[in-house]
Amino acid sequence: MEQSKKLLIIGFVWPEPNSSAAGSRMMQLISIFQENNFEITFASPAMDSDFMVDLSEFGVTKKTIELNSSTFDVFIKELNPAVVLFDRFMIEEQFGWRVSENCPDAIRLLDTEDLHCLRTARQKAFKENRTFQFTDLLSEEVAKREIASILRCDLSYIISEFEMEILKNVFKIDSSVLQYLPFLVDEMNEKELEKLPSFKERNNFVFIGNFLHEPNWNTVQYLNEEIWPIINTQFPEAVLEVYGAYPSQKALQLHNDKKGFLIKGRAENAGEVVQKARVILAPIRFGAGLKGKLLEAMQCGTPSMTTTIGSEAMHANLPWNGFVENNPQEFAKKAIELYQNENIWKESQKSGIAIINQCYKKNKYASELIAVINNLLQNSETHRLHNFMGSLLQHHTLKSTKYMSKWIEAKNKN
């Protein structure tokens, strides 16, 4: 039997798969590494939360670490992992130099989750009421930090093909340090739809999404102010249930029984909520990455209404499992049609299955992921030799990060 290899994951937060798509993705990655004989330690400087998974139940060692502290150096030297996975670029900025200094041979991976610079630039363009341009990315401060982090790592996981293209064409990053890794789910058979609640057994529109994520909160506001009033006028008996972890007081105040706009807060079981819904509404106006809520809808046999941004990079050239509309009037009209027309609804369900089976094959992407890591473990020197910009950034920028961190640590001791 192959000897187990040590993997250290450094998390921005502890995984909460019931609260966010990022939490689900992290658990997908953990399961793939475990299936391939990796012994996993998950470390994070984050506070524990009431909704984090119990990592010990998954055979993962949990370790709380400190920012700007040499205690991490002692910990990682002792652990001596073969592979380190940084969860988001901010974590690589904090701990990357410590990893390369104390375990220089460890393969450094970055899971970007989504391109933060793309989300930030789109959000700015939206707030300034102008069209987003790719050149916006080049002046975005977050982009300078994020791209530097990608270059410093041996390999970065990119969740969206659209973002792969941006990295290669706008930022001119070599494809040898990038790997396309979408959400990973098991294939589905159309017969499985028969086990799910039928059209007649389902009711209500649903939106679901973590309120701490700005694109989600903006979507709820957009639904409340523009889209739901149109649906409510044309289809007065319609009800929209809005679910999401961490709703603010502002969000809770949008609850309106008379208009059927119901703020439900955290869903105990997101899959159950989505399965009972007839249609998911997700008129997302800015953001990046892939939308976990829309993939989950497909898995639950629930058609969805979204925008171009919502469906971006999610369905290849296949028909959407519902409709994609950007105009609020058209969005509302198609949402009602999808809700009321059983034939269109059933066809949309089948489109969702086709998308899952073509775009998110766990077996395909998992085996590619492991093959690339095994190759890196055997050829890291050659790989790093060809990533000159990465070596240069390791040499220069991490010096400044290192001394800033040491200064903070010394200051904290006084």
Side-chain angles (χ1 to χ4, degrees):
M1 189 178 150
E2 187 196 357
Q3 192 183 0
S4 68
K5 301 175 279 276
K6 285 183 185 172
L7 164 69
L8 170 65
I9 300 173
I10 309 179
F12 182 67
V13 290
W14 302 106
E16 286 188 31
N18 267 343
S19 302
S20 71
S24 302
R25 175 173 172 80
M26 182 51 74
M27 296 313 292
Q28 287 169 3
L29 288 173
I30 284 172
S31 82
I32 290 165
F33 280 110
Q34 280 183 324
E35 283 162 19
N36 287 276
N37 216 27
F38 278 84
E39 188 185 312
I40 305 174
T41 300
F42 193 107
S44 178
M47 301 276 285
D48 284 10
S49 87
D50 293 341
F51 305 104
M52 61 194 258
V53 297
D54 182 352
L55 288 164
S56 65
E57 281 185 15
F58 294 88
V60 174
T61 305
K62 176 180 180 282
K63 169 78 178 170
T64 299
I65 51 176
E66 290 179 58
L67 295 169
N68 306 305
S69 170
S70 51
T71 56
F72 177 83
D73 304 347
V74 176
F75 156 69
I76 195 167
K77 259 186 189 157
E78 206 171 286
L79 184 68
N80 194 24
V83 181
V84 176
L85 172 64
F86 303 103
D87 166 31
R88 292 169 245 210
F89 80 89
M90 301 81 88
I91 284 294
E92 188 279 335
E93 283 182 328
Q94 284 286 347
F95 295 99
W97 68 270
R98 291 186 185 274
V99 171
S100 58
E101 200 166 79
N102 292 290
C103 294
D105 295 334
I107 299 302
R108 297 184 296 271
L109 308 173
L110 173 64
D111 188 28
T112 56
E113 295 288 356
D114 60 24
L115 276 188
H116 292 63
C117 60
L118 176 62
R119 178 155 32 97
T120 308
R122 277 178 166 164
Q123 189 171 331
K124 274 187 192 167
F126 172 78
K127 298 247 161 109
E128 291 164 12
N129 201 18
R130 60 180 176 79
T131 306
F132 162 77
Q133 308 283 342
F134 286 124
T135 48
D136 293 346
L137 293 167
L138 300 173
S139 57
E140 186 56 60
E141 191 199 336
V142 174
K144 295 175 175 72
R145 292 171 55 199
E146 192 165 25
I147 299 306
S149 183
I150 287 169
L151 287 167
R152 282 193 297 262
C153 289
D154 295 308
L155 190 70
S156 292
Y157 295 134
I158 311 301
I159 202 165
S160 149
E161 286 181 309
F162 181 72
E163 293 178 7
M164 283 287 278
E165 292 309 308
I166 285 174
L167 291 168
K168 289 176 190 174
N169 300 326
V170 178
F171 293 111
K172 313 296 184 200
I173 294 180
D174 195 274
S175 56
S176 63
V177 296
L178 305 172
Q179 187 169 10
Y180 172 55
L181 192 69
F183 291 124
L184 308 172
V185 297
D186 294 322
E187 288 187 60
M188 277 184 80
N189 189 305
E190 275 189 24
K191 282 193 172 166
E192 290 176 56
L193 293 174
E194 293 164 20
K195 299 175 199 163
L196 296 168
S198 67
F199 176 83
K200 290 188 170 65
E201 288 169 327
R202 296 170 181 245
N203 52 37
N204 298 347
F205 292 99
V206 161
F207 170 79
I208 191 162
N210 189 321
F211 280 93
L212 295 178
H213 191 54
E214 183 64 27
N216 287 339
W217 168 228
N218 180 270
T219 300
V220 173
Q221 290 173 300
Y222 183 40
L223 279 163
N224 179 60
E225 291 160 18
E226 292 195 47
I227 289 170
W228 193 249
I230 305 169
I231 293 176
N232 185 241
T233 303
Q234 294 176 19
F235 183 19
E237 58 271 43
V239 171
L240 171 62
E241 297 177 337
V242 177
Y243 287 90
Y246 306 107
S248 63
Q249 200 50 45
K250 261 197 226 171
L252 295 170
Q253 283 168 356
L254 298 180
H255 185 93
N256 187 328
D257 281 312
K258 274 187 187 169
K259 291 185 177 170
F261 195 91
L262 313 180
I263 305 291
K264 296 283 198 174
R266 175 183 288 277
E268 282 303 308
N269 184 325
E272 215 170 84
V273 164
V274 176
Q275 262 189 44
K276 286 177 182 171
R278 191 177 286 179
V279 173
I280 294 293
L281 298 184
I284 298 159
R285 294 191 283 186
F286 56 83
L290 300 181
K291 312 302 176 281
K293 61 178 78 58
L294 295 176
L295 177 59
E296 183 173 46
M298 295 177 207
Q299 290 177 288
C300 293
T302 312
S304 64
M305 284 293 316
T306 192
T307 54
T308 307
I309 292 272
S311 66
E312 179 180 273
M314 284 205 67
H315 59 119
N317 293 317
L318 298 170
W320 187 249
N321 73 316
F323 296 109
V324 176
E325 290 291 347
N326 297 320
N327 174 285
Q329 296 283 349
E330 280 301 309
F331 190 100
K333 181 183 155 192
K334 291 286 193 187
I336 294 168
E337 187 181 355
L338 189 56
Y339 192 96
Q340 295 178 337
N341 188 317
E342 189 170 353
N343 290 335
I344 291 175
W345 190 88
K346 283 181 170 173
E347 279 308 307
S348 298
Q349 264 194 331
K350 289 176 186 172
S351 296
I353 301 282
I355 292 167
I356 287 170
N357 292 344
Q358 181 166 322
C359 304
Y360 302 99
K361 284 181 190 168
K362 182 181 173 184
N363 293 346
K364 174 181 187 278
Y365 292 109
S367 56
E368 285 174 8
L369 178 153
I370 295 300
V372 171
I373 286 176
N374 287 337
N375 185 44
L376 279 172
L377 285 165
Q378 287 164 10
N379 303 298
S380 61
E381 260 184 61
T382 311
H383 179 82
R384 286 174 181 174
L385 195 63
H386 287 97
N387 180 14
F388 180 74
M389 291 304 288
S391 308
L392 183 134
L393 284 165
Q394 281 286 4
H395 180 76
H396 287 290
T397 56
L398 291 196
K399 286 277 189 280
S400 57
T401 312
K402 173 180 174 177
Y403 291 116
M404 171 61 82
S405 182
K406 285 191 173 294
W407 178 79
I408 292 168
E409 185 176 6
K411 193 165 172 278
N412 288 344
K413 281 176 183 168
N414 292 333

